[in-house]
């Protein structure tokens, strides 16, 4: 089963189920620690490491049916139904789960992704991580300096470096880069699954992001007829990192409504 980090509720609202948070490509549960603690004000929050990420299993595939199956195993073991929130790749895995096992999910939050195939590729970041000189590396600041040679955006560097284990000798990436590169067409693609999820679904996007275009809304509504749309001003694709407090507020209002 996937590695799980659990944040117990500060106080329990018996009307609300547990919340499961699913990170995106190159992420891990540790990226969501602060947000998970804040969302655990009235419910227990679980955050997973997806397959080939963090401390979870190393597998040969990264398909959405497989990732959705991993999430189904987590929810059935901890107690269904749950509310589920997924970002990017994690949002697609959560959507696939909602369309195939709708009984496991009460409400769904999809952060800056749509149920469509994309033409872009993220393999350049795998190349950048592979190219990072790990020789004698002992500090995150030095790792950031070295990674800046291939990744300009400091926020992206900070995000990627959370998956670098500096305690290992030599340091290692907590990512199965070989499989992620091999499976990239599946990750940026979409399984084309039919079906509908009848629960309320929030598509929360960054106003500066182009991942959820207006022309995708018909496809979204066909699959998620109770869909709602909201945008965070000043945020791009990594909206939870760029506008964390606004992100939390939007999620809380939707899930508690």
């Amino acid at each position: 089963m996937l590695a799980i980090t659990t944040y117990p509720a500060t106080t329990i609202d018996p009307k609300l189920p547990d919340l499961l948070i699913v990170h995106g490509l190159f992420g891990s549960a540790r990226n969501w620690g602060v947000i998970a603690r804040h969302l655990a004000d009235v419910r227990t929050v679980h955050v997973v490491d997806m397959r080939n990420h963090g401390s979870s299993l190393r597998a040969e595939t990264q398909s959405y049916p497989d990732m959705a199956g991993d999430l189904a195993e987590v929810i059935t073991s901890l107690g269904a139904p749950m509310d589920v929130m997924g970002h990017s790749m994690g949002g697609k895995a959560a959507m696939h789960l909602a369309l195939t096992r709708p009984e496991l999910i009460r409400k769904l939050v999809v952060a800056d992704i749509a149920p469509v195939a994309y033409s872009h590729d993220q393999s350049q970041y795998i190349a950048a991580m592979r190219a990072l000189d790990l020789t004698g590396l002992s500090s995150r600041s030095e790792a950031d300096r070295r990674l800046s040679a291939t990744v300009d955006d400091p926020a992206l560097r900070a995000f990627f470096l959370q998956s670098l284990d500096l305690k290992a000798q030599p340091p290692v990436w907590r990512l199965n880069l070989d499989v992620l590169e091999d499976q990239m067409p599946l990750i940026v693609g979409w399984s084309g699954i039919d079906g509908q999820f009848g629960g309320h679904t929030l598509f929360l996007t960054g106003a500066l992001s182009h991942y959820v275009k207006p022309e995708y809304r018909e496809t979204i509504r066909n699959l998620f007829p109770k869909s709602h749309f909201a945008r965070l001003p000043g945020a791009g694709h990594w909206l939870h990192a760029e506008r964390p407090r606004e992100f939390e507020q939007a999620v809380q209002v939707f899930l508690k409504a």
Side-chain angles (χ1 to χ4, degrees), residues 29 49 59 63 83 132 145 193 256:
D49 285 343
S63 72
D83 288 342
L132 180 64
R145 187 191 68 79
I193 189 169
K256 291 179 180 180

Side-chain angles (χ1 to χ4, degrees), residues 136-156:
L137 193 59
S138 59
S139 71
R140 205 159 297 279
S141 59
E142 175 59 18
D144 180 74
R145 187 191 68 79
R146 296 184 188 184
L147 190 59
S148 67
T150 52
V151 180
D152 293 333
D153 188 336
L156 270 182

Side-chain angles (χ1 to χ4, degrees), residues 24-28 31 87-88 112 120-126 128-129 132 140 143-164 173 175 209 211 236-242:
L25 181 63
F26 306 134
S28 68
N31 301 137
H87 171 249
S88 198
D112 212 69
H120 65 260
D121 191 296
Q122 305 288 359
S123 297
Q124 73 272 21
Y125 297 126
I126 293 178
M129 284 184 263
L132 180 64
R140 205 159 297 279
D144 180 74
R145 187 191 68 79
R146 296 184 188 184
L147 190 59
S148 67
T150 52
V151 180
D152 293 333
D153 188 336
L156 270 182
R157 294 198 303 271
F159 170 69
F160 295 150
L161 289 174
Q162 288 191 57
S163 291
L164 181 64
W173 290 101
L175 299 164
S209 172
Y211 275 70
H237 182 58
W238 281 271
L239 64 173
H240 60 291
E242 297 166 5

Side-chain angles (χ1 to χ4, degrees), residues 4-9 18 36 40 44-47 78:
I4 306 167
T5 303
T6 296
Y7 298 85
D18 289 4
T44 296
V45 177
H46 311 280
V47 193
L78 295 176

Side-chain angles (χ1 to χ4, degrees), residues 186-238:
L186 296 181
I187 295 170
V188 300
W190 175 244
S191 53
I193 189 169
D194 294 324
Q196 282 190 337
F197 174 63
H200 288 279
T201 305
L202 173 64
F203 286 83
L204 182 58
T205 61
L208 304 179
S209 172
H210 303 289
Y211 275 70
V212 185
K213 297 179 180 180
E215 55 263 37
Y216 298 159
R217 289 200 175 190
E218 182 179 358
T219 296
I220 290 171
R221 288 194 174 102
N222 286 337
L223 297 172
F224 302 93
K226 294 182 181 178
S227 55
H228 311 261
F229 299 89
R231 302 171 73 194
L232 290 187
H237 182 58
W238 281 271

Side-chain angles (χ1 to χ4, degrees), residues 52-53 58-60 173-181:
N52 295 313
H53 293 72
R58 296 309 187 241
E60 293 301 316
W173 290 101
R174 297 189 187 94
L175 299 164
N176 191 343
L177 296 176
D178 290 342
V179 169
L180 295 179
E181 182 177 47

